């Protein structure tokens, strides 16, 4: 009874079909189904994609470079392509009376994958940008999201045995 329950990590997507639904819509569905008393902390993913950590989701949604170039979904659904997408989830929590709960970012980060055939290449940033974005993301969260932000798990902590031939290297 004293265990802290963290929901599964909601993953950003602009899809809304039989395969996936936007994380905000999923969270609204959780509340509508009565999930409020069954989790203590909301688990979320804060992928940065190509945008800097401070980028506003509304700006990212309309930006010609920061979003997925193949995404034909409505602009509002393209808010997912940034770290601060977590704020949209937080707003749903507040609207449902859960302002006192924290959000745990179970995965966040950026990639520097230069492989042109990689599915991650479209949102690749330089190694220098990636390093700066990691630090700035923690700084942004501390300055703007306290006290509601909890754990922030940077994905991935590199294994020195990984090589460029390993998917997780990127």
């Amino acid at each position: 009874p004293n265990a802290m329950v963290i929901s599964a990590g909601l993953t950003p997507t602009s899809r809304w079909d039989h395969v996936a639904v936007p994380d905000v819509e999923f969270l609204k569905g959780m509340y509508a189904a009565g999930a409020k008393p069954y989790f203590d902390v909301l688990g979320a993913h804060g992928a940065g994609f190509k945008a800097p950590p401070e980028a506003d989701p509304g700006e990212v949604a309309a930006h010609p470079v920061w979003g997925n170039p193949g995404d034909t979904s409505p602009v509002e659904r393209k808010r997912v392509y940034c770290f601060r997408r977590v704020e949209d989830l937080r707003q749903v929590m507040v609207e449902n009376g859960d302002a006192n709960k924290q959000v745990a970012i179970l995965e966040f980060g950026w990639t520097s994958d230069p492989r042109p055939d990689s599915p991650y290449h479209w949102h690749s940033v330089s190694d220098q940008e990636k390093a700066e974005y990691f630090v700035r993301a923690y700084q942004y969260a501390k300055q703007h999201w306290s006290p509601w932000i909890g754990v922030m798990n940077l994905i991935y902590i590199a294994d020195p045995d990984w090589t460029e031939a390993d998917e997780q290297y990127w």
Side-chain angles (χ1 to χ4, degrees), residues 26-50:
F26 190 88
L27 181 57
K28 289 176 182 177
M30 286 175 56
Y31 280 110
K36 181 177 177 175
Y38 298 103
F39 68 97
D40 302 306
V41 177
L42 180 73
H45 293 178
F49 294 100
K50 197 167 188 73

Side-chain angles (χ1 to χ4, degrees), residues 9-75:
L10 302 183
T11 303
T13 183
S14 62
R15 288 186 75 153
W16 198 337
D17 57 22
H18 67 282
V19 174
V21 298
D23 52 356
V24 164
E25 297 304 323
F26 190 88
L27 181 57
K28 289 176 182 177
M30 286 175 56
Y31 280 110
K36 181 177 177 175
Y38 298 103
F39 68 97
D40 302 306
V41 177
L42 180 73
H45 293 178
F49 294 100
K50 197 167 188 73
E54 306 85 2
D56 178 89
E59 292 175 22
V60 171
H63 197 282
V65 176
W66 288 342
N68 183 340
D71 188 346
T72 59
S73 61
V75 172

Side-chain angles (χ1 to χ4, degrees), residues 1-136:
N2 295 325
M4 179 184 293
V5 177
I6 302 175
S7 74
L10 302 183
T11 303
T13 183
S14 62
R15 288 186 75 153
W16 198 337
D17 57 22
H18 67 282
V19 174
V21 298
D23 52 356
V24 164
E25 297 304 323
F26 190 88
L27 181 57
K28 289 176 182 177
M30 286 175 56
Y31 280 110
K36 181 177 177 175
Y38 298 103
F39 68 97
D40 302 306
V41 177
L42 180 73
H45 293 178
F49 294 100
K50 197 167 188 73
E54 306 85 2
D56 178 89
E59 292 175 22
V60 171
H63 197 282
V65 176
W66 288 342
N68 183 340
D71 188 346
T72 59
S73 61
V75 172
E76 180 62 23
R77 280 197 240 150
K78 295 179 184 179
R79 294 173 61 89
V80 299
Y81 295 117
C82 65
F83 174 71
R84 285 182 54 197
R85 169 56 170 184
V86 173
E87 294 170 6
D88 291 345
L89 297 171
R90 176 67 183 166
Q91 184 59 39
V92 173
M93 294 173 70
V94 170
E95 290 168 0
N96 283 277
D98 265 349
N100 291 330
K101 288 184 182 176
Q102 286 194 321
V103 174
I105 300 181
L106 303 178
E107 294 181 6
F108 85 97
W110 287 261
T111 185
S112 54
D113 189 344
R115 303 170 300 165
D117 294 334
S118 166
Y120 310 109
H121 182 70
W122 70 266
H123 59 86
S124 180
V125 298
S126 71
D127 283 335
Q128 183 65 36
E129 285 174 309
K130 184 168 63 170
E132 290 172 7
Y133 288 0
F134 291 164
V135 173
R136 287 167 42 195

